[in-house]
Amino acid sequence: MRLGFTNAVTVVEVATAGELQWLEAFLTFTSSVYRGRGYVQESWSMLEHRNGERAFLSGVLPLVERAGRMSGKPVEVVDRRVRPNGGVDRRVRPNGEVVLPGWLRPYQREALEVFTKKTRGILHHVTGSGKGTMACALMVSIRVRWLFLVHRGTIILQTAERYRRLTGENCGVIGDGAWSTDRVTFATFQSLWARFGEPKVMELLSGIEGVIFDECHVLPSKCHVSLARSMRNAYWRCGTSGTPLDRSDERSMLAVGLIGPVVHTFTAAEGEALGVLSRPVVRFVMCPQTWGRGAYYSRDGARYAALYRDLVARSVERDDLTIRIVKKATKPCLVFVKSLEHGRRLTHAISAAGFSCMFIEGKTAQAQRIRLISALEEGHVDVVVATVSLQEGADIPELRSVVNTAAGRSVIAALQRIGRGMRRAEGKTTFEVWDFYDLGSTLEGQAKARVRTMERAGHTVSLVDDSALDSPP
């Protein structure tokens, strides 16, 4: 089987009927999809049939090569890519080795050295390990046209400012009301997708020679895939995430297809051992409630919404327990919620309990969001209640505790939330994580799933009852 390797897709140039059958089977995946009143399993294939050709996203090529060898179906790969002119820059040695800046930590340098040899792939680095700093080093070292793509406005301004500070170079920003481009441009998926198809957007995407997908676990959504596939000249393709392949379905393979497989990993345990990250102390507080509606045990979406409303978003018992946890938690403290109603009510209740407390939601202006995070770090605000809008990308080194009131079973959400407190600060080697072990119904299964997530990530977890909240903080 001969495969033609290009930046975006790999074309099957020569293959027998048996080889095509094997390739189709290897590139077919199954995902759970919600249809009507429940979830169903649906198969989908990454092998495309278009214009008389068969092709697949190039990121899975290394997996195809390895599986082909193991299955007795050798693969010949013809690299039809063209390396951008950045390869002759003074920061690239004659042998092609990239000269990286001196401000990288040893594990960051190691990761980028591996990546630059591969030219594409995912850096699976735990939250707080400095993925933004590595992105800046990569973009200043390889002198091609770069696009740094994020899906949260909070991240874009932070990282663009970090790039200017570390490199002394200007950069473009697309998002949060700004639209400027440069050799290095920072953009949100949403801003580009809103104008996708317009000449200036398509020209920008086609001219990109290197792309970095921050928090690349979000890539499998339809609009993100369309944007990523439009960058046909992106020779360098990097993804960063603390949870790159942790989706509950197999659609994580789309992220691999658009970027490449994981090429370097840096764990929380490694970060703690090197003194880079703080160790989370995770406590799940048992939360019994009184209900009795048998319908809550159904997986039906409408019934689950009612369960969530009554047992989480509007639960008096759970709110009372939240206030007791917040009183116990070391400040500054970040409290996560899922719904706006829940967040507003908790903000009011925490303020009434005598703490300075503010609420951050998706519509909170970027400047206001930055001010509130600074106020939290500087001790002017005790508690910030936040929706998922603050779940990723926000750097809060001074944070001493995280409280998750949002429930849910998502591995990505659970790890991203505690990631807000992972960064080290002066006098901080550990931080607190508080969660709810809801008893009964679907919520108990979700709590068990979050416990397993924490334990698999190497964190020590304890299950306590509410009497543990009565001792002095």
Side-chain angles (χ1 to χ4, degrees), residues 12 17 42 67 108 112 162 175 188 222-223 297 381 414 446 449 463:
V12 182
E42 291 189 355
Q108 295 172 327
L112 293 188
R162 182 182 298 136
T188 63
K222 182 178 179 180
C223 64
Y297 289 80
V381 172
Q446 293 181 354
L463 181 62

Side-chain angles (χ1 to χ4, degrees), residues 60 90 232 416 425 434:
V60 296
R90 62 182 175 83
R232 295 181 178 86
Q416 290 288 342
W434 298 89

Side-chain angles (χ1 to χ4, degrees), residues 353-405:
F355 298 98
S356 56
C357 181
M358 303 298 291
F359 184 40
I360 293 178
E361 54 156 305
K363 293 183 179 179
T364 303
Q366 184 65 24
Q368 174 71 357
R369 189 186 305 248
I370 293 172
R371 283 196 297 270
L372 289 178
I373 292 174
S374 296
L376 183 71
E377 287 202 286
E378 294 166 4
H380 304 309
V381 172
D382 297 317
V383 182
V384 163
V385 177
T387 61
V388 295
S389 62
L390 211 63
Q391 185 171 289
E392 296 161 329
D395 292 334
I396 317 177
E398 295 294 339
L399 194 64
R400 288 324 198 250
S401 61
V402 172
V403 181
N404 175 33
T405 73

Side-chain angles (χ1 to χ4, degrees), residues 89-142:
D89 184 80
R90 62 182 175 83
R91 279 171 255 211
V92 178
R93 296 191 176 102
N95 64 358
E97 182 181 346
V98 176
V99 180
L100 298 165
W103 31 264
L104 289 168
R105 293 171 175 152
Y107 68 88
Q108 295 172 327
R109 177 176 297 278
E110 176 187 282
L112 293 188
E113 286 173 349
V114 171
F115 170 81
T116 54
K117 290 175 183 176
K118 300 278 189 182
T119 74
R120 57 194 300 156
I122 295 171
L123 304 180
H124 181 183
H125 281 217
V126 65
T127 300
S129 58
K131 296 186 289 294
T133 299
M134 287 191 291
C136 293
L138 191 59
M139 293 185 292
V140 76
S141 299
I142 300 175

Side-chain angles (χ1 to χ4, degrees), residues 25-91:
F26 181 74
L27 293 176
T28 296
F29 307 94
T30 302
S31 299
S32 294
V33 181
Y34 189 79
R35 301 290 186 200
R37 297 177 63 85
Y39 286 89
V40 297
Q41 297 294 309
E42 291 189 355
S43 295
W44 56 279
S45 176
M46 200 177 286
L47 186 64
E48 305 170 352
H49 300 246
R50 54 176 195 166
N51 302 323
E53 291 182 332
R54 289 176 171 86
F56 54 87
L57 294 173
S58 285
V60 296
L61 178 57
L63 308 183
V64 171
E65 287 185 274
R66 185 170 67 234
R69 287 194 301 270
M70 295 175 64
S71 301
K73 293 180 171 53
V75 176
E76 175 192 356
V77 176
V78 182
D79 192 344
R80 304 201 181 281
R81 300 175 302 161
V82 177
R83 188 182 179 107
N85 290 334
V88 300
D89 184 80
R90 62 182 175 83
R91 279 171 255 211

Side-chain angles (χ1 to χ4, degrees), residues 19 31 45 50 78 83 86 126 163 200 208 214 219 222 292 309 311 313 317 328 338 363-364 394 401 417 441 465 469:
E19 289 169 336
S31 299
S45 176
R50 54 176 195 166
V78 182
R83 188 182 179 107
V126 65
Y163 183 82
K200 76 172 183 176
I208 292 302
D214 188 69
L219 263 181
K222 182 178 179 180
R309 179 194 64 224
L311 301 186
E317 295 101 323
K328 176 78 172 178
K338 182 178 179 180
K363 293 183 179 179
T364 303
S401 61
R417 285 168 186 151
S441 81
D465 60 35
L469 305 175

Side-chain angles (χ1 to χ4, degrees), residues 128 240 412 453:
T240 64
I412 292 174
T453 293

